[in-house]
Amino acid sequence: MGNLRQPVYLEEKLEQVRESGRLNIRSKALPTWCPGCGYFSIVDGVTMAINQLQINQKDVTVVSGIGCASRFPFFLDTYGFHTLHGRTLPVATGIKVANDDLTVLAIGGDGDAFAIGGAHIPHAARRNVDITYMVFDNGIYGLTKGQTSPTSVLGFTTSTSPYQNQDRPLNPLLMMLSYDASWIGQSYAGDPRHLSEMITQAIAHRGFSYLHILSPCVTFDKTSKTYSNLKAQVRNLPDDHDSSDRMAAIGYSMDVDTPPIGLFYKESRPTLSDKLDLIVDKARGRNARASG
Amino acid sequence: MGNLRQPVYLEEKLEQVRESGRLNIRSKALPTWCPGCGYFSIVDGVTMAINQLQINQKDVTVVSGIGCASRFPFFLDTYGFHTLHGRTLPVATGIKVANDDLTVLAIGGDGDAFAIGGAHIPHAARRNVDITYMVFDNGIYGLTKGQTSPTSVLGFTTSTSPYQNQDRPLNPLLMMLSYDASWIGQSYAGDPRHLSEMITQAIAHRGFSYLHILSPCVTFDKTSKTYSNLKAQVRNLPDDHDSSDRMAAIGYSMDVDTPPIGLFYKESRPTLSDKLDLIVDKARGRNARASG
Amino acid sequence: MIDSAMTETDIQLMFCGSAGDGTIAVGDIFKRAMAEAGFKVLAFDIYPPEIRGFGKCISRVRVTSRQAYSLKHQSDILVSLNDSYAIPHVSEVRDFGGVLYDQAPISAMAEGEHISGHLQPGQLPYGVSMREVSDQTTGGSKAKNIVALGFLAGLYDMQREPFHQIIRDKFKHKDPIISESNLLAFDTAYDEGVSTFRLDFIELGTPERQDIGSKVQMMTGNAAVVRGCLDAGLETFFGYPITPATSIMEDLATDLPMRGGRLLQTEDEISAIAATIGAGYAGARAATATSGPGLALMVEMLGLGVMAEVPSVIFCSQRGGPSTGMPTKTEQSDLHLAVFGGAGDAQRIVLAPTNVEGAYKCAGKAFEMAERYQTPVIVLLDLYLSNRYETVILPRQNPFEADSSKKRSHQERGVPYHRFSFTDDNVSPRTVPGEEGGIHTVTGLEHNELGRPNDQPDMHLKMSEKRHNKLLGALDHPGITIQKRFGDEGKVDVGILGWGSTFGEILEAMLVAQDEGISCSAMKVVMLSPLPLQPVQEFFSDCREILIPELNYEGQFANLVGSAISKPFTRLNRVPGVPMRVADILDEIRRLAAQVKSAA
Amino acid sequence: MIDSAMTETDIQLMFCGSAGDGTIAVGDIFKRAMAEAGFKVLAFDIYPPEIRGFGKCISRVRVTSRQAYSLKHQSDILVSLNDSYAIPHVSEVRDFGGVLYDQAPISAMAEGEHISGHLQPGQLPYGVSMREVSDQTTGGSKAKNIVALGFLAGLYDMQREPFHQIIRDKFKHKDPIISESNLLAFDTAYDEGVSTFRLDFIELGTPERQDIGSKVQMMTGNAAVVRGCLDAGLETFFGYPITPATSIMEDLATDLPMRGGRLLQTEDEISAIAATIGAGYAGARAATATSGPGLALMVEMLGLGVMAEVPSVIFCSQRGGPSTGMPTKTEQSDLHLAVFGGAGDAQRIVLAPTNVEGAYKCAGKAFEMAERYQTPVIVLLDLYLSNRYETVILPRQNPFEADSSKKRSHQERGVPYHRFSFTDDNVSPRTVPGEEGGIHTVTGLEHNELGRPNDQPDMHLKMSEKRHNKLLGALDHPGITIQKRFGDEGKVDVGILGWGSTFGEILEAMLVAQDEGISCSAMKVVMLSPLPLQPVQEFFSDCREILIPELNYEGQFANLVGSAISKPFTRLNRVPGVPMRVADILDEIRRLAAQVKSAA
Ligand SMILES: Cc1ncc(C[n+]2csc(CCOP(=O)(O)OP(=O)(O)O)c2C)c(N)n1
Ligand SMILES: Cc1ncc(C[n+]2csc(CCOP(=O)(O)OP(=O)(O)O)c2C)c(N)n1
Ligand code: SF4
Ligand code: SF4
Ligand SMILES: [Mg+2]
Ligand SMILES: [Mg+2]
């Protein structure tokens, strides 16, 4: 069955990583992604982070929208909710509000997040819902076969921009900074070590963590956010960047041509659950006063 | 009919302003707002701006969502579309795409804009749709009688936050800056002169203008964004502020305790219609090449 | 009525004035006092449209000794707090009914502007010195409404005590002097009332004895929903304000945290239902509340709830439509959307209570059903039911199951865990995140028993069957009335089939028709999806003619019935924005009865 | 067939392989060549689910001399480009049909993996040296599909020229050597085919003469929609990608700007419909395209379109549901949503073409109707219709009106301008921004003739009547078939009522049933809202038994019909994700016919 050689290869790779011991939380489902897609290394990064943080698989819930990126939950052996296009965050918020003990990862593509899902991000961020939101940014709609996305670069040609994209892409990191997200970082699929390190930190952060992951779509983007282009552009945030300095973070976020990777900003403040607990306390206190 | 004294007063006021000559574009409909609501001076500001810019009334289309603020179109004698809660911008975009010759004003409250309408703002801004978007920010849901809004301040008590609002308000100006809006300003209902001056500038700008208008809800907010509080807080942007300096604008936008009013940022770049025209040119060029 | 030893009470009052006149407030004091006195109360206020202004307010209160089902179209007494608003309503006062008004409102009132000139022959004018007494007792005209109330209470020899108590309560957060001066205003007017001539046509009897042992409560439909939610153990609520559902969230914002629950005002309705479904997936009892425009935004997510088989409860209080429509008017026109809103074959459970007590019951049972059948459950209210007050007797024992979910032990479930296993009742045992050995992923894609995407013909067919058939179980759900027949038994000439709040008017009309000797019977259908087909079919067999009255233009319930039952029936559709007139239903019943007779 | 002088052609091919085998590509070359040669073509491809991978592709092409209505369930020839995928489809090859496969695929193929061992008695094996010839002629195995095609063309004595032309065209942007080597591969295989034994059961006749003067075109349903839009003068398009509607936007992205039109990919479906309605309000012909999940998001805004009486056109290509469902499978299950999706009584126009030509017609007419009746018009397609190819004859003269709106001069309109004036046909003359003397504000609130908010009972009733009654005008809209009856005339035993793409299968089944002597007739309903009630009623009167076959679980069209007509009928519901089997419909027709006979 010569034509099926590639998927067999993927199965084998799955076995390999399983055998390496660290990836027992990969599910038995074969990722349906194209060979070479950046998303493969993100699965690795997530499994490594979960292992490293020694979180029990049953306590992890992965929530996603719709898109290639959003197929993610099927490939992990954790609880998962593959929801609707753009609705990752409110569903994840509901899960976290219902059960604080869960580690909730929210995952979506750039379209899922910044086109159809755009209304939800400011609110998840400002409320400081204690979840980790990872957006896989390939600057294109992968699953629907290559249309322009809100992060497509100027001049990019796609099936819906046959005369080149004329709209400035959004700047997700700057937006997150303006929304008061309490943990903001960037990484890229070409650097698995950095990726798993950032994912680990993001999950470990108590509050809303936003991790922007640059990841090539090898099938529908041959010119723009390719591995080689990204590799040439990406650079590390300077060592001396102070992650509590919001203005500095804003400055770095505006450098879109040579995107810095690393931790942009981090702040410690009450999570949504903390606040809801406080409200319960107040209610009970007030109640006690009223009846006492 | 003693009980009806107040509406009669409003009618009279309407007559007064009509007689003053500058307000012939007020419609004959009686604003249904509470006496003292900040929105009255915004109507004045808009009519003055339209007069000043000598735009023909038939060429103005006012689009709004749902809320007290969104009742606006009924009180002007121009074309108007009172749409759905949160959908002001996409409807306004459709109108502008259909007819470039129209002056399109988009109007909404803070809830209409930043809660239910939040998905649309980044895109109207980055596309640089040539409309003027005015958000009347009273930090509350007026029409539905006083619930918390995304710009309600911390600690504010409302019918849905009986134990005080615990969530940080959003920072609309900073968000607009992060979205690449090409004209960003702030004014407040307590200063009609400033208001009409800013509205005039906003309409005159070619591209997406965002004007944030602080305006008290006298009925449902007795403590927070009242006239007296706003008056004490608001200050002018320094004269030497360079409106092409985005970083400086970002800095000022972060001063939420003493909100600066004036023009934060302004940039000249192609509007959506310019870009769509370019696409038509490219398409026809390509077409000519193909058949020629 | 006059014959019976213990006078039977049935009297309806109507207060009418502008928003600033304290119209709604005085209606509120009156109905509370009546409930306190032991009467049954049914009351409904009409406000001006949402935006603040000077619009007309009407508060109608019906006071009865036995349960009433609807407001009467004609009131016994009209209290005018603003004549220009009240004049158009004089025609709604019955013959020999009374009209109270301010005897000397303001000097400048023009000819024809005073209500006294508009009374119809037979209606009794009661000029009360409202402004005057108010001025004298409180030093201002704000207490005019209290003066009117006092006069009324005196006129009908009502006990002063309940009124005093409620007035005191009302002003308890203010300067005591306000409370005292208002009581004085009340008492002064009371004395005036006592000494005023009263026609015996209107009489307040003795309330029934309260020997049920539990305090009777007066509450609105929305308040009953809140109580139902709390009694059913609601844990999380996500909502976005919208008339007429807002008060559900507002009340819960105070009450839910007292019980340790969590409420979040979301950024829109899509997030509200999404978070509700998220919380439901995580195992919490979760709900949201909205109205038509919000429900319209929710339908994509409801489809996910159907496909992923996640419990959720959605309260939808209908208002006039389409679109933003008439936010402060009532209508029953979101039924199509509730039943059919969603891509694909996305059946869910839809319940519609017919009265305040039913709202409590449906609210609580909705959680049981959502959990048991793993599906969204929509509870359809409407402005009329959400806002109307009724005296209700709530069970003293919590009638709701704390956990209705189908669970299996780790062993019974087997390995790997088949989240969507095919079972006899089509419900698969469910696990929630955090549970050992129950790991799975749910999706809005068609899937196999494991929950993996699968779009093969057989699988889609079997899963479609599963999703639809499991809901049939709800038709036998314990402790809730799915449908019920009232009136004559067996074969009848006219059957009236109804749903939602309009069923009160239907019952009233049926009772009158029965009194007139018409053989008739009424059936309420509480579960609208899936339809209780067999009982409805039997009802069709038993009735020569069937009438379906509803407050919408398209006959939305009639459409549901028609698509399932291939027999003719008569539709009665009204869209006034206010409750249907009992007389309109009665006319149709009479017409159909005559038709049956003439055909026989 | 064999008797007729000029052989009548009806042959169906099926190419099956993996995504990498060029399966869809070779099907495409074949159908284009056949269309070029003058045959009628009907073709439908099945792709793997959305995400890129290695799934199975099937390309079915039916070639006929007279118009065919559907694909046949059994193909005449199966071309296997990947045996493991093709083996399950061997049963779909008819008796004495042929199966082409690679004679010597790879050395390592295990026993039982080769298709030749799976053929059924009577099926003809054609082992072709696909890989070998491909290697020899092109230096690689990529041209295996071309080799198969060449062999086939040779086997059936097809003209080489159309094939050559299309192959050349296909590779025109590549190195000429690729084109040449592929042509060589084709020719080599062609010669092999010519010299191979051919059974006469399958025969390619002579195509009909093309004397209509206009070039016959082959296009998909979505391409026809695009053509319809362009011919109707579409000015603005707003859309968000979603399978299977995406290609409408993709094609328009190229074509619309060529005509000076504007296309915007919006941030979501809510903005797409909102902008469409905005553009419609501003007077432009505007449209959007989506599928069920997107339509679910649009329904709130559609309600605004209904209430504010603004024209808009929405194409919805249905896929398997509910929820994300089966994105690459076909289904007819968004009908409920299209007709009933929206709060309140929000009727709109819903059209569903039954074939590619109809898609063109409905697309164009939708703009006329939206403008004329000032309403959203939803055109329901489905994946099967969107993606299938048919040879169609498009009118040479643009059949669509450039402006259908009801306009009045400034004077006739009067002052002040009553945007929602009551008129005989319930349509009010409309102005658009920029027009002198036509200033008005529209709203989703209930309103009076001026457009001012008004929620009084009379006004709401009159406006509800206006909104509903004006749509009845669409039932007589010129130049479009609202419904049509086929087959036997007058009273018949069995009537089949159908809609959408499934009507092709219905027609095929009816034709066979007629051949079998069954008295039957089929009616297609193109306008699903408002329903053409009278013709449907007449059809019910004419048919002893009525059958409603549709590709959904709940019988959504049957529900519509049932709610309007109180007569019994039979439902036939299938949800395989692929077109309905003609045989299934035929079985039901036979059963019902027998029932009628035995009752007689
Ligand atoms: C409501 C809705 N609209 C549209 C779609 C179609 N759709 C599926 S995924 C997708 C975009 C995917 O792009 P992105 O989010 O960037 O993810 P990627 O595939 O690139 O990982 C779209 C438009 C859908 N499933 N649901
Ligand atoms: C879809 C939908 N959800 C909710 C509502 C109810 N609603 C009307 S206005 C409003 C909020 C108004 O607040 P804001 O936008 O701040 O305007 P304001 O009244 O304060 O001027 C809400 C929630 C609605 N009309 N439609
Ligand atoms: S289409 Fe692009 S994003 Fe999707 S799996 Fe393939 S490479 Fe990855
Ligand atoms: S409720 Fe508040 S915002 Fe609305 S009109 Fe009154 S004062 Fe203004
Ligand atoms: Mg993407
Ligand atoms: Mg507000």
Side-chain angles (χ1 to χ4, degrees), chain A residues 39 66-70 84-85 108-113 116 136 138 140-144 147 149, chain C residues 300, chain D residues 50 240-243 269 290 293-294 297 319 324:
Chain A
Y39 298 168
I66 300 289
C68 292
S70 295
L84 295 182
H85 196 34
D110 41 321
D112 196 74
I116 194 166
F136 303 179
N138 54 12
I140 202 159
Y141 286 6
L143 188 62
T144 46
Q147 296 80 26
S149 105
Chain C
E300 194 205 4
Chain D
E50 288 184 306
Y240 191 76
I242 187 165
T243 310
E269 286 88 351
T290 189
L297 285 169
R319 58 195 216 181
T324 315

Side-chain angles (χ1 to χ4, degrees), chain D residues 90 98-99 101 115-121 123-126:
Chain D
V90 165
V99 177
Y101 51 82
I115 198 169
S116 59
H118 293 262
L119 263 59
Q120 292 168 7
Q123 292 177 338
L124 275 143
Y126 291 101

